[in-house]
Amino acid sequence: PSAVARHCAVLCVFLLALGFPGKLADIAGGGRISMLIQYAVFALQIVFMLITSGDNLLEMKLIDLKKEYTPVYLLLGVYFLLSMLSTHDIASQLISCLRFTVTGLVALWVVQWYDVKHILRFTCWAQSVIVLLCLLFMFIPSQGWAVVDGARCFVGIFPGKNVCGAELAFGLT
């Protein structure tokens, strides 16, 4: 894929990691939209890892095991195993564990394809989008605000005031 397509895919992954689409999904049609976006980005992650892994179809692989990432692979494996052993709802937990594992593999993919400068740039762009959306929600009285213990609190596109405050503090510093 082209560099622009790869950059857009990484930006989508970073946006999703920061909580996008948040309450925008509720406005656009509820939890189905949010889940659809999450699964679309999940599929996009897998597709880009496969496409960039080899020059032809026979060379494509989802996991390129490298010795220096052994601790990360162990962490992903232990998390997957312990989560599956400690749940009663195996189907839902399997989906969560697979998404977590693929996200870990995508993080390794991003590290292999980009240097720290580019990764920070992606983070800043994604954070800027989140901050702008939160600021936009300041002017929508019924959506950007919530009543907590009788007080009107700003939540932006997030489900709670603490999430919004932490995200804006990170984005503004």
Side-chain angles (χ1 to χ4, degrees):
S2 71
V4 172
R6 210 171 49 241
H7 292 350
C8 289
V10 172
L11 186 61
C12 287
V13 170
F14 278 53
L15 276 170
L16 190 66
L18 291 173
F20 187 82
K23 290 177 68 176
L24 291 174
D26 295 338
I27 294 170
R32 286 185 175 168
I33 298 293
S34 178
M35 195 59 66
L36 179 67
I37 291 171
Q38 290 177 21
Y39 282 115
V41 171
F42 177 72
L44 186 70
Q45 291 172 349
I46 293 173
V47 166
F48 268 89
M49 286 192 310
L50 284 172
I51 289 174
T52 58
S53 67
D55 293 331
N56 59 43
L57 190 60
L58 295 176
E59 292 179 2
M60 287 185 182
K61 53 189 165 194
L62 185 59
I63 301 172
D64 185 14
L65 295 176
K66 296 191 182 207
K67 197 177 250 188
E68 66 260 25
Y69 299 131
T70 301
V72 177
Y73 301 138
L74 286 173
L75 172 75
L76 293 174
V78 167
Y79 174 81
F80 191 93
L81 181 66
L82 291 178
S83 293
M84 292 306 293
L85 290 174
S86 64
T87 187
H88 296 291
D89 186 6
I90 292 177
S92 296
Q93 191 64 27
L94 180 64
I95 292 169
S96 294
C97 288
L98 286 174
R99 287 175 56 196
F100 175 78
T101 304
V102 169
T103 301
L105 295 174
V106 167
L108 294 176
W109 177 82
V110 168
V111 167
Q112 290 174 356
W113 275 88
Y114 298 102
D115 60 359
V116 174
K117 179 178 132 184
H118 283 96
I119 293 171
L120 288 174
R121 186 176 295 150
F122 286 130
T123 304
C124 288
W125 274 106
Q127 189 65 46
S128 298
V129 169
I130 296 291
V131 169
L132 288 174
L133 288 172
C134 281
L135 293 176
L136 175 70
F137 268 62
M138 285 182 79
F139 302 107
I140 306 174
S142 64
Q143 295 297 327
W145 299 85
V147 176
V148 179
D149 296 331
R152 209 173 91 140
C153 300
F154 179 65
V155 293
I157 66 167
F158 297 102
K161 68 180 179 68
N162 293 339
V163 176
C164 181
E167 197 63 44
L168 286 177
F170 176 74
L172 297 175
T173 55

